[in-house]
Amino acid sequence: QVQLVESGGGSVESGGSLRLSCVVSGYANRRYCLAWFRQAPGKNREGVAVIDSDGRATYADSVKGRFTMSQDNTKNTAYLQMNTLKPEDAAMYYCAADLSPSPWTCGLGAVHRGGELHFEVWGQGTQVTVSS
């Protein structure tokens, strides 16, 4: 059974940085796609970043130039480096896996509205708070 465990959330001031981690276990087949989503109170869940098996990352417009997603296949871990954080970045951040990925869901599809529907496995989330 595939499991995702996030860590690294916390509370920072505006302009600060955090690095989130997502450890994947229970899935020997490396053909999956990992993404980060976030959800703030009263708002829909939105795709933040996704990475394909070749390490190519796609980002939501709201985080381009500030967030970087990467993965370390030797550790079965994906990361989300978040710099220049803004109060509007505050949310619960979730790692998710698409076990039957396509170029669309491993790319723009993940960060478009409804992208979360393509991802079958979810972590428990890690809270990010940004104070102004």
Side-chain angles (χ1 to χ4, degrees):
Q1 183 176 356
V2 182
Q3 289 188 320
L4 307 177
V5 178
E6 305 100 328
S7 63
S11 182
V12 297
E13 293 184 349
S14 181
S17 298
L18 285 172
R19 188 177 81 155
L20 308 183
S21 299
C22 172
V23 179
V24 183
S25 62
Y27 197 63
N29 185 344
R30 282 289 301 127
R31 287 182 56 80
Y32 56 77
C33 180
L34 290 177
W36 287 98
F37 291 82
R38 67 185 181 187
Q39 188 168 19
K43 295 188 176 181
N44 293 328
R45 189 168 296 190
E46 61 175 350
V48 174
V50 61
I51 195 164
D52 66 18
S53 58
D54 293 324
R56 289 185 296 259
T58 303
Y59 301 95
D61 288 343
S62 58
V63 306
K64 279 181 182 176
R66 300 187 298 121
F67 290 13
T68 302
M69 185 172 183
S70 61
Q71 60 186 7
D72 184 340
N73 292 332
T74 64
K75 298 180 179 179
N76 293 327
T77 301
Y79 304 97
L80 185 68
Q81 178 66 44
M82 305 186 295
N83 297 328
T84 318
L85 282 161
K86 305 175 181 180
E88 53 263 43
D89 293 318
M92 183 72 79
Y93 281 71
Y94 299 91
C95 180
D98 178 0
L99 304 183
S100 301
S102 69
W104 173 248
T105 61
C106 269
L108 288 174
V111 298
H112 274 118
R113 182 181 300 178
E116 68 273 14
L117 299 176
H118 301 289
F119 290 78
E120 306 98 318
V121 184
W122 293 80
Q124 81 287 351
T126 185
Q127 183 69 45
V128 172
T129 303
V130 185
S131 58
S132 57

